Amino acid sequence: STGEEFYRIWSIDPYISYSKSNYSLSLRMRNYTIRRFVDTDVFPGEEDAVATQRALDINFRRNWNSGFSLVSGTYITSMQSVGNVYPGRYTGYSGAVYAQGEYSKGRFNTSAGLRYEVNALGEIEDSPGPLFRAGVNYRAAKRTFIRATYGEGFRFPTVGERYVEDNVRGLNVLPNPELKSETGWY
């Protein structure tokens, strides 16, 4: 027995889309699973590590002849994992709804939108409230663009960041269960 790891990854990603002259609708789904098999001769009592993520993405776009369009939708994921470098089993989810208006006329393009999301990992749940983004793009010449953007972001810590404890070739990886979510802007 060499103690080498063996992985099996599988994914299924069905989608369907429909469009007409002034609108489109798409539905995308994903089921992604990764399993790391453990050599129990080398690591007795250890379990295989398994993580599964499922996602649903619904997107609607409506275009008007005036140059205005609206994009809206929802994105939902769920996660289940059991690892051998962190204790326990974890479940979590992330869900968001969004809407963005876009306008294009001549050399100008503008957009503005809102996104609201909720994230959870085990008993920890967090939401940043509405997140805003906007941008303006002007084509000044054939290959010259002047752009201005503003956007707000939110980052929710992962299972790995909060709970993994491991030693990888002499590098100690330590858990940080008190790690907090971050918000920012660009």
Side-chain angles (χ1 to χ4, degrees):
S1 177
T2 64
E4 292 182 25
E5 297 174 346
F6 172 65
Y7 292 88
R8 179 177 298 147
I9 300 171
W10 72 273
S11 177
I12 183 168
D13 298 283
Y15 71 93
I16 187 169
S17 60
Y18 176 79
S19 62
K20 266 195 138 170
S21 61
N22 60 353
Y23 68 91
S24 64
L25 177 66
S26 70
L27 171 66
R28 297 178 184 271
M29 295 166 277
R30 169 169 254 206
N31 187 355
Y32 178 86
T33 300
I34 183 168
R35 177 182 290 265
R36 183 177 74 176
F37 295 93
V38 172
D39 185 340
T40 55
D41 292 337
V42 178
F43 303 103
E46 293 289 329
E47 289 186 54
D48 292 346
V50 182
T52 299
Q53 181 187 39
R54 292 180 179 89
L56 173 66
D57 181 3
I58 302 169
N59 181 280
F60 176 76
R61 181 179 192 93
R62 171 75 160 93
N63 300 315
W64 285 270
N65 292 335
S66 63
F68 181 75
S69 61
L70 177 67
V71 179
S72 62
T74 186
Y75 185 79
I76 302 164
T77 65
S78 69
M79 175 275 301
Q80 300 84 35
S81 71
V82 59
N84 47 26
V85 292
Y86 54 85
R89 297 172 184 270
Y90 290 94
T91 60
Y93 63 87
S94 175
V97 293
Y98 60 89
Q100 175 171 297
E102 300 171 354
Y103 180 73
S104 180
K105 181 157 181 135
R107 295 176 175 215
F108 279 99
N109 294 312
T110 61
S111 64
L114 287 173
R115 176 181 174 99
Y116 183 84
E117 65 181 79
V118 176
N119 295 274
L121 178 60
E123 300 297 316
I124 302 165
E125 186 174 301
D126 201 0
S127 173
L131 299 170
F132 177 74
R133 71 165 305 279
V136 176
N137 184 17
Y138 174 71
R139 189 183 75 208
K142 188 175 182 178
R143 294 184 181 179
T144 305
F145 296 88
I146 299 170
R147 298 179 181 167
T149 62
Y150 172 82
E152 298 171 339
F154 177 69
R155 189 178 164 296
F156 188 74
T158 66
V159 171
E161 293 170 313
R162 280 200 168 118
Y163 305 114
V164 167
E165 183 171 2
D166 200 6
N167 185 307
V168 181
R169 295 188 175 126
L171 176 65
N172 287 324
V173 178
L174 301 174
N176 188 355
E178 302 303 316
L179 190 60
K180 303 290 183 210
S181 300
E182 301 171 309
T183 56
W185 61 274
Y186 60 92

